[in-house]
Amino acid sequence: MMRRTKTLTAIAIGSLLATGALTACASDGGGDGGGNGGGDGSDGTIGLLLPESKTSRYEAFDRPLFEARVAELGNFEVLYSNADQDAAKQQQQAESALASGVDVLVLDPVDAEAAVSIVNEASGQGVPVVSYDRLVAGGDLAYYISFDNEQVGVLQGEALTEKLGGTGSIIMVNGSPTDGNAAQFKQGAHSVIDDSGVTVLAEFDTPDWSPDKAQEWVAGQLTQFAGQINGVYAANDGTAGGAIAAMKAANVTPWPIVTGQDAELAGIQRIVAGDQYMTVYKAIKAEAELAAEVAVKLAQGETVEGDTDTDGVPTTLLTPVVVTVDNIMDTVVADGFFTVDDICTAEYADACAAAGIQ
């Protein structure tokens, strides 16, 4: 059971990183086994295992931001692998990293249950594991950093039901059934939708978060519920893109309200164009940089304390933010996540001008 003692606000994120709010103390030999201890002249080696590349954030933001912050903190080597949504491949990548002598593993699991074996293997070699963005379903974790994932679903559900005025019918395109975060998004969304007066016609847990599979499913629902769909709960911007592609192919009118998450560039552009109503912006820079700071401290044989805990695991949960066309300038642009030029390409120039994005 998660005990929340503090949730960071978007404003507090910068001060957390700037002041080094992590509390560190000497550890009793943590991280010795399996680590190279900097014997080759480096300060140590950190393994970064990310789950997939269909969602653009991992290669475009998480990896480079993490690596850049590690480089600022010392002469550490980062061994990086992407599992391409394959749990068995991620297991092999973890075994390879451990065999290479990493001091710490930062793990964003493809499959929360299957990844427990990775944590157990690492722990057996004295290598601490940081559960990054998605929570591994067990094992002796050293730290967990993510966003308040149930709150993400709450924000999506609130935005959708309020825009619909508490009436109408929707379909729900949920996330991957192997992603523990997806279950929290869905739970948060249902906590709002189920009592709102909005009817859920059907819902789908999208394998691998695949936009193509989301598109295929939504196409079928458009046939089954022709003229009845007023909104689409899409758990992230990728599945939103699939849903929107299906609706455009079917020439749906009037256009349903569509949610999203991750503030991907394509999602922001769809919001500007009016195809997607909202997304949820998660300050990935803060998440990736804090994960790097935690990993470095663990590699140096220190322990870290979180703002809260999850089943006894030190935890930091960052705060998600709703983005609509009305606050793009105040969120993703103000934070430097995207520039106006990134968003307002020739295709979107007129829509940007109409929205005051310039």
Side-chain angles (χ1 to χ4, degrees), residues 31 97 150 161 325-326 338:
E150 187 172 333
T161 57
V325 72
D326 296 324
F338 297 121

Side-chain angles (χ1 to χ4, degrees), residues 168-354:
S169 301
I170 66 169
I171 56 174
M172 295 185 67
V173 188
N174 302 311
S176 170
T178 63
D179 180 352
N181 286 4
Q184 292 180 300
F185 303 147
K186 179 165 64 172
Q187 180 178 341
H190 269 292
S191 73
V192 175
I193 294 168
D194 292 352
D195 296 324
S196 69
V198 170
T199 300
V200 178
L201 297 170
E203 62 183 300
F204 177 62
D205 292 344
T206 311
D208 302 332
W209 288 97
S210 169
D212 292 342
K213 293 174 183 175
Q215 180 176 348
E216 180 181 359
W217 182 79
V218 170
Q221 306 315 300
L222 293 173
T223 299
Q224 183 173 353
F225 300 108
Q228 300 179 54
I229 299 173
N230 308 115
V232 178
Y233 168 84
N236 76 345
D237 291 340
T239 54
I244 288 167
M247 293 191 294
K248 286 190 171 183
N251 294 314
V252 170
T253 185
W255 192 256
I257 306 302
V258 183
T259 69
Q261 178 193 176
D262 289 329
E264 291 188 353
L265 179 58
I268 296 295
Q269 290 173 325
R270 287 193 297 267
I271 290 172
V272 171
D275 294 332
Q276 184 172 325
Y277 173 59
M278 61 81 71
T279 187
V280 176
Y281 170 49
K282 301 186 295 188
I284 297 171
K285 185 175 190 291
E287 183 185 28
E289 291 187 348
L290 183 56
E293 294 169 11
V294 169
V296 165
K297 288 184 181 295
L298 291 170
Q300 292 171 331
E302 301 175 351
T303 57
V304 290
E305 297 176 3
D307 300 291
T308 184
D309 71 84
T310 305
D311 294 334
V313 178
T315 298
T316 295
L317 297 177
L318 306 175
T319 302
V321 178
V322 169
V323 177
T324 67
V325 72
D326 296 324
N327 68 341
I328 288 173
M329 291 297 295
D330 298 327
T331 53
V332 295
V333 173
D335 282 2
F337 198 63
F338 297 121
T339 66
V340 170
D341 287 344
D342 291 333
I343 299 166
C344 300
T345 58
E347 182 180 356
Y348 300 97
D350 290 343
C352 280

Side-chain angles (χ1 to χ4, degrees), residues 105-129:
L105 273 181
V106 177
L107 171 64
D108 191 339
V110 171
D111 185 316
E113 298 285 345
V116 174
S117 63
I118 295 175
V119 178
N120 290 339
E121 187 170 350
S123 298
Q125 297 182 35
V127 177
V129 178

